[in-house]
Amino acid sequence: MDPNERPPPTLPPQEQMRQRRLAKLGGLGSSASTDSKPQEASKSGSSTSTSTPDAPPNQTPTNQENTRPTPLPTRPSTTVSQSQTASTNPFSQLGTKSKSEHGKIANAGSATPSKKVHITKEESLEDWTNRVLGDIFRVTLDETKTTDNRGFKLTYLPDLRAELEQSGDPIKLTTASVESALLEAVRHLPTTKPILDYLLPCWKRVVRATKPPRPLPPEKEAVVNEAKRLCMSNCIFALTMPELFSRAPNPNHDTLVPYLLRHHDNEDGICMDFFAEATSRIPEDDTVASVFTDAMVAMSTKLATMTMNDDYKPYVNCLVTYSKFPPLLNALAQHPRFLATATPDMSKEQIALSSETSTILGPFFRISPLQTEVTRVFFAGARTIAPGHVKSSQSALQMTLKAHQGDLVGIINSFVRASATARNATLDWFAFALNTNHKRRALQVKSTEVASDGFMVNLTAILDQLCQPFMDSTFSKVDKIDVDYLRRSPRVDMSDETKLNADQATADAFYKTHVAGSSNFISEVFFLTLAAHHYGLGATQSKLKDLDKDIKYVEGLIKKIEAELPKLQNDPFRLPAARQHHENAVNTIEKYIALKYTIEGVVLDECMQTLSLQFMRYVSVWLLRVASGVDYRPAGGKEIKLPLPADKPDAFSCLPEYAIQDVVENFKFIFRFKPQILVSAVGDEIITFCITFLRSSEYIKNPYLKSSLVTLLFSGTWPVYHLSKGILGDSLSSSSFANEHLLHALMKFYIECEHSGVSSAFYDRFNIRYEIFQVIKCIWDNNVYQEQLSRESKVNRQFFVQFVNLLLNDATYLLDEALTKLINIHDYQIQLHQSQQLGLSPEDIEKIRTELEKAEQQCQSWMQLVNDTISMMKLFTTTLRDAFTMPEIVYRLAGMLNYNLESLTGDKRSNLKVEDAKKYHFDAKALLSDFVDIYINLKSKPTFIEAIAADGRSYKPKNFQKTSTLLREKFFKSKEVVDDWNSLCTLVAEAKQRLDQAELDLGEIPEEFEDPLMGELMTDPVILPSQNIVDRSTIVQQLLSNPLDPFTRKPMTIDDVIPADDLRNRIKEWKTERIAAAKAKASGGDAMDTSDD
């Protein structure tokens, strides 16, 4: 009876479940046909059995088994009978069982086995289907067959056999029955074993079956493809609908996680074919995506608890595999856990950490050598570790981190390219991480309240990589960076950042004006990367300086404790506490040193810093374009004209300060630690950048930010390798832009830093000016700069006078401070040597030592600045004699020189003698020689000679004579120098005699003719805004140092004074009368009366 004609039986629950699953799969009508004809069955598949009632009588099960070809594994067996001849097809003998069976076949046909050729019967499609499906799913309908021909255990399916017998169908596996076979096979699995433990190996086998050495005929290919489809469907149902297999949901079983973490090649691992097949079903089956996204969320959550010390690589490899399939990335990007979501009950600290620990990508970016547990592994015993071992450990961690960051770059690139949705979600993720971690740049930061260094450094490095495609050496795409990005609902939040040159209200008003349009990807990544450098890599690099201070402090603490321990040996109460303090201090410094070594290893990676440098070059060029409004490019663009326009662009003024700060800090860091990458990587843009914003310093409000530009130029002049003038020295000398603008820019800022409005500016300015001197020294060999300075003194006289006046102020102050500290050191050293004679107590001695150390530190700083300031004056006076003998300058210069000549050669010079003077950068011989050179440089100017002689406070002929003796007998100066000095002494002495006589001739000066501030005769009286009258030279000197009316302290300039012409004429007349009277007296007494009585 035809099975189709039977009344439909009442389906058991198991079969009903199967039918529901088939309906879920989209219909298998043709495959589910119960037609029992062999031809019908051959279209949908066949089964294999070692014993079948339909087999011919003369065909034994053994012969059937030995004559079928074996499709699995894909590498076919080539074992054949020894009686096989060279002409026999080797593939007809694949899958033979034993040598004895071959013998039986050969002997049955011929008495001469060696010449008998074995002929294989062609296997029917039904048998092939039965065999292949049985091998794939390792099931059988033959109760006597417990293993396959490779020895793998087979699962006997009695229920399916009974069903086939009842229906009268062949007892063979077909595509119509394989679904029931799978269901029954799973039922035989222990409930403690996940279903995927069985199905995934089946999948691997079916995949191999679809890739045979030879192409399969269409009917066989259809069988294998159907098996593949059903296997994948059941894998998905096993994860999403375990109840279809009569199992209760089990989170430990209903997940892909353990299989994803295994290698692709493992039998129970997830291979690429599985990914491809599964993702192809995502558009039709919405449960597939959730299977993979939930697995990734679970793995990300687990990874958040791991460090680089743990086995993190399988997790990363899994996400790398995901990244090869855009549908999976799209699904991840839309998952609720992809982005962190701040809730009202979360603190700021929790929000800051959420991107790192509570998002899908966060834990992958968190893996880093900078994790505390990892630093201690790389640098165990950091306090005593050998330098060579430190270097090798740093190299090892760099390689490890580079490989990890390479994986992260590939992952992020795939997200960006997957779809617009995934790209936007990825950019949102970066932005949230940055926007919630502004506190990383606060003065006081707790590491537990912000994202970790490792996370933020990885984030910066990957963003740098995203910028690579548009950062070419010609800056051809710099115009793609849209300045209006920040007014188009930008992802980057900089509302709480200090702006370059705008207050908060101005910036808010500017950004409140929305600009229509959308921002391009280049602009998005550019501003994200700029912020990442500030809050990420930049914040981590800045920790090195703090760590050095912390390490030094704890080292001092350890020394103090160790010094106290011997004294506490007999104190049972304090000794344990002291030992505990010592142990804590040692552990702390071990942690600090290990962290320092690790940070150095991470941030000093040459590849990372090269990318960072390239990005900062782009930032500097972009900032110059925004500020100048010019299409500037280092090569091929328009040149920037200085000074910049007086009207500062709002788009520039409202930028955050870190736009410039990041550039400067990055370059300074590389100059210090990795100068080799700058040799071939830096162009003119960094020189143009520094000069432009120093020349037009009003574009930047923060004085420290402006001074950092000087520091950057100074750093570029440090000798490096074969470059005696540093990375920038030669460029500063040869650049036409620098030749035209550098010197004026440096002088301008030298003046500007005098009044920065910052409490510590008084001391900071000396450091700034020291750096300015170093840059000028570097370029001074170029005559262009010497000529330019001379031109400044003539064309821009007031500007130059102001510059030289401040130079004299600095020299005077620094010399006074430095020499005073030397005298203090001299006194302290004598007291310590004579402590016993003086009867000093230990407490007194300790106090003196403390004061001595303090004086030594201060003297070292002041003396170094003195040497550079005097050196600069010597340099300038060699070339600019006229400039330094202008009336506004010459008297102050002469007074400063005379005063310090007295200190170095006068009666109290012995007070400057200290032990190890070089320790304090003090060389009396060199310093006095510099003073002598300055005197001689200006000797030819009569105004200078007169100014020396007119210095009533410090000019002493004996000091000049003492100097002459020292030059000749102690310093062994050349005859030319000694003769020049003696000639100077003669000229000054003569001038002094003339001035003394002139003073006697004038006699007592009327009070109305005296300068109220200086007490001297006025020659050019002027009326101040306060209506007080002073000499012009006096108010000029006053305004050079302080632009205020000396009587009312109100701001004023030299243009505010009014010449007192009437008073000046009266002074002139009085002076003429007094001189005439003096001459008459000198020639013969009072004028003789010759009149007659």
Side-chain angles (χ1 to χ4, degrees), residues 37-97:
K37 295 180 181 180
Q39 292 84 357
E40 294 286 324
S42 67
K43 294 179 182 178
S44 59
S46 61
S47 61
T48 300
S49 176
T50 55
S51 177
T52 173
D54 298 322
N58 61 344
Q59 183 176 345
T60 65
T62 302
N63 289 338
Q64 181 182 0
E65 185 72 16
N66 279 314
T67 57
R68 69 169 183 256
T70 305
L72 295 173
T74 56
R75 218 179 310 166
S77 171
T78 56
T79 304
V80 298
S81 170
Q82 289 182 348
S83 63
Q84 184 176 354
T85 63
S87 62
T88 305
N89 182 355
F91 292 101
S92 65
Q93 297 299 317
L94 295 178
T96 54
K97 281 191 174 181

Side-chain angles (χ1 to χ4, degrees), residues 533-600:
H533 274 276
H534 186 62
Y535 304 115
L537 184 61
T540 302
Q541 288 175 170
S542 67
K543 284 189 175 182
L544 286 175
K545 185 183 294 185
D546 296 333
L547 278 172
D548 285 335
K549 293 179 182 177
D550 293 340
I551 290 170
K552 185 177 180 180
Y553 171 77
V554 180
E555 283 284 13
L557 186 62
I558 290 174
K559 289 180 180 178
K560 288 182 180 179
I561 296 175
E562 290 175 344
E564 290 294 319
L565 283 175
K567 302 176 185 179
L568 302 176
Q569 293 302 316
N570 298 323
D571 190 334
F573 297 103
R574 296 172 60 195
L575 182 60
R579 286 176 175 169
Q580 186 62 48
H581 287 320
H582 182 267
E583 182 181 349
N584 293 341
V586 169
N587 290 336
T588 299
I589 201 168
E590 288 276 354
K591 182 178 72 172
Y592 285 165
I593 295 175
L595 179 57
K596 177 190 173 184
Y597 288 156
T598 307
I599 291 177
E600 288 176 344

Side-chain angles (χ1 to χ4, degrees), residues 488-505:
R488 288 199 184 102
S489 303
R491 287 183 165 88
V492 177
D493 176 18
M494 56 171 200
S495 58
D496 61 342
E497 289 291 340
T498 305
K499 307 305 185 290
L500 281 173
N501 203 359
D503 56 29
Q504 193 64 44

Side-chain angles (χ1 to χ4, degrees), residues 545-747:
K545 185 183 294 185
D546 296 333
L547 278 172
D548 285 335
K549 293 179 182 177
D550 293 340
I551 290 170
K552 185 177 180 180
Y553 171 77
V554 180
E555 283 284 13
L557 186 62
I558 290 174
K559 289 180 180 178
K560 288 182 180 179
I561 296 175
E562 290 175 344
E564 290 294 319
L565 283 175
K567 302 176 185 179
L568 302 176
Q569 293 302 316
N570 298 323
D571 190 334
F573 297 103
R574 296 172 60 195
L575 182 60
R579 286 176 175 169
Q580 186 62 48
H581 287 320
H582 182 267
E583 182 181 349
N584 293 341
V586 169
N587 290 336
T588 299
I589 201 168
E590 288 276 354
K591 182 178 72 172
Y592 285 165
I593 295 175
L595 179 57
K596 177 190 173 184
Y597 288 156
T598 307
I599 291 177
E600 288 176 344
V602 170
V603 302
L604 296 182
D605 178 75
E606 197 162 308
C607 293
M608 180 188 293
Q609 289 297 343
T610 299
L611 286 176
S612 177
L613 173 67
Q614 191 174 1
F615 176 75
M616 289 305 164
R617 291 181 63 196
Y618 252 74
V619 176
S620 63
V621 170
W622 181 77
L623 287 170
L624 287 169
R625 291 166 62 90
V626 175
S628 65
V630 172
D631 182 20
Y632 168 75
R633 288 183 177 86
K638 294 182 180 179
E639 187 174 310
I640 290 178
K641 301 297 182 183
L642 294 183
L644 294 175
D647 293 332
K648 297 176 279 293
D650 290 338
F652 178 84
S653 298
C654 294
L655 286 172
E657 281 187 354
Y658 68 67
I660 288 180
Q661 181 183 349
D662 286 358
V663 175
V664 175
E665 288 184 350
N666 185 264
F667 270 91
K668 283 167 58 179
F669 186 84
I670 296 176
F671 274 129
R672 179 181 178 187
F673 293 104
K674 284 289 178 182
Q676 63 270 26
I677 69 176
L678 289 161
V679 175
S680 59
V682 174
D684 291 339
E685 71 280 344
I686 194 61
I687 292 176
T688 305
F689 180 80
C690 293
I691 294 175
T692 297
F693 292 117
L694 285 173
R695 180 68 176 82
S696 298
S697 56
E698 61 276 6
Y699 269 57
I700 303 173
K701 183 171 57 176
N702 187 339
Y704 289 122
L705 192 55
K706 289 186 276 192
S707 67
S708 67
L709 298 172
V710 176
T711 304
L712 182 51
L713 288 174
F714 168 55
S715 302
T717 63
W718 296 344
V720 176
Y721 306 121
H722 62 287
L723 303 173
S724 60
K725 292 185 176 181
I727 303 296
L728 300 180
D730 291 336
S731 297
L732 290 172
S733 294
S734 61
S735 165
S736 59
F737 186 84
N739 291 164
E740 185 176 355
H741 301 292
L742 174 60
L743 195 58
H744 185 94
L746 292 174
M747 293 171 64

Side-chain angles (χ1 to χ4, degrees), residues 759-1018:
S759 58
S760 60
F762 180 79
Y763 298 100
D764 291 336
R765 74 185 188 201
F766 294 115
N767 294 325
I768 297 168
R769 289 169 177 172
Y770 167 80
E771 293 173 349
I772 290 175
F773 290 155
Q774 302 311 309
V775 177
I776 293 176
K777 280 183 182 180
C778 178
I779 62 175
W780 195 249
D781 291 342
N782 188 339
N783 291 333
V784 171
Y785 288 108
Q786 298 180 26
E787 294 169 1
Q788 190 182 55
L789 188 61
S790 178
R791 187 167 58 253
E792 285 282 355
S793 68
K794 298 172 183 176
V795 176
N796 201 349
R797 181 187 179 99
Q798 186 63 28
F799 173 79
F800 183 81
V801 167
Q802 193 174 7
F803 169 71
V804 175
N805 180 73
L806 293 175
L807 183 64
L808 294 176
N809 286 349
D810 288 352
T812 301
Y813 177 82
L814 292 171
L815 279 163
D816 186 58
E817 287 293 318
L819 298 182
T820 299
K821 297 304 176 187
L822 278 172
I823 293 172
N824 293 340
I825 292 170
H826 169 83
D827 294 341
Y828 292 142
Q829 289 176 346
I830 290 178
Q831 291 177 38
L832 290 176
H833 285 306
Q834 299 177 357
S835 58
Q836 292 184 351
Q837 297 92 314
L838 296 173
L840 298 177
S841 66
E843 291 77 11
D844 293 334
I845 293 174
E846 184 62 29
K847 183 178 179 181
I848 292 172
R849 283 178 177 163
T850 302
E851 293 296 327
L852 174 61
E853 289 178 4
K854 181 179 178 181
E856 286 178 338
Q857 291 176 356
Q858 293 175 336
C859 184
Q860 288 171 350
S861 299
W862 294 131
M863 204 68 232
Q864 193 169 3
L865 293 170
V866 163
N867 293 334
D868 281 286
T869 304
I870 299 303
S871 175
M872 188 57 53
M873 290 182 62
K874 176 182 171 181
L875 207 64
F876 286 165
T877 54
T878 303
T879 307
L880 304 172
R881 293 180 177 86
D882 290 336
F884 274 82
T885 54
M886 290 189 291
E888 299 94 330
I889 296 173
V890 67
Y891 286 95
R892 290 206 62 218
L893 174 60
M896 185 273 292
L897 294 173
N898 290 342
Y899 178 80
N900 288 288
L901 189 68
E902 162 75 13
S903 299
L904 295 173
T905 61
D907 298 336
K908 297 182 179 180
R909 64 182 181 276
S910 59
N911 292 339
L912 299 177
K913 291 183 179 179
V914 295
E915 298 174 3
D916 193 13
K918 291 184 178 179
K919 174 182 178 181
Y920 314 112
H921 310 293
F922 176 60
D923 185 342
K925 178 179 176 180
L927 185 59
L928 182 57
S929 295
D930 285 343
F931 276 110
V932 168
D933 289 339
I934 295 172
Y935 274 111
I936 293 175
N937 287 341
L938 303 177
K939 177 176 75 76
S940 61
K941 298 298 177 180
T943 53
F944 178 64
I945 299 298
E946 183 177 337
I948 295 174
D951 180 17
R953 185 184 68 160
S954 301
Y955 170 66
K956 296 178 182 178
K958 66 177 182 178
N959 293 336
F960 281 74
Q961 295 302 321
K962 180 64 177 178
T963 302
S964 179
T965 302
L966 291 172
L967 292 175
R968 184 175 62 255
E969 299 179 0
K970 298 291 185 181
F971 298 175
F972 304 107
K973 291 290 185 177
S974 66
K975 185 177 183 300
E976 290 78 7
V977 173
V978 176
D979 289 346
D980 280 342
W981 180 257
N982 291 334
S983 173
L984 172 74
C985 294
T986 302
L987 292 173
V988 173
E990 293 172 354
K992 176 64 174 172
Q993 186 177 1
R994 290 194 302 272
L995 289 172
D996 288 345
Q997 184 60 50
E999 186 176 353
L1000 289 173
D1001 291 344
L1002 291 176
E1004 185 176 351
I1005 302 173
E1007 184 176 352
E1008 62 175 325
F1009 295 165
E1010 276 189 349
D1011 186 295
L1013 296 178
M1014 303 301 293
E1016 297 176 351
L1017 178 67
M1018 293 186 288

Side-chain angles (χ1 to χ4, degrees), residues 409 430 457-471 525-526 528-530 532-533 537 607-616 619 666:
V409 169
F430 277 114
V457 168
N458 283 338
L459 190 146
T460 308
I462 273 54
L463 283 171
D464 272 340
Q465 292 276 8
L466 287 182
C467 293
Q468 274 295 92
F470 65 84
M471 291 196 302
V525 176
F526 175 83
L528 283 172
T529 308
L530 185 60
H533 274 276
L537 184 61
C607 293
M608 180 188 293
Q609 289 297 343
T610 299
L611 286 176
S612 177
L613 173 67
Q614 191 174 1
F615 176 75
M616 289 305 164
V619 176
N666 185 264

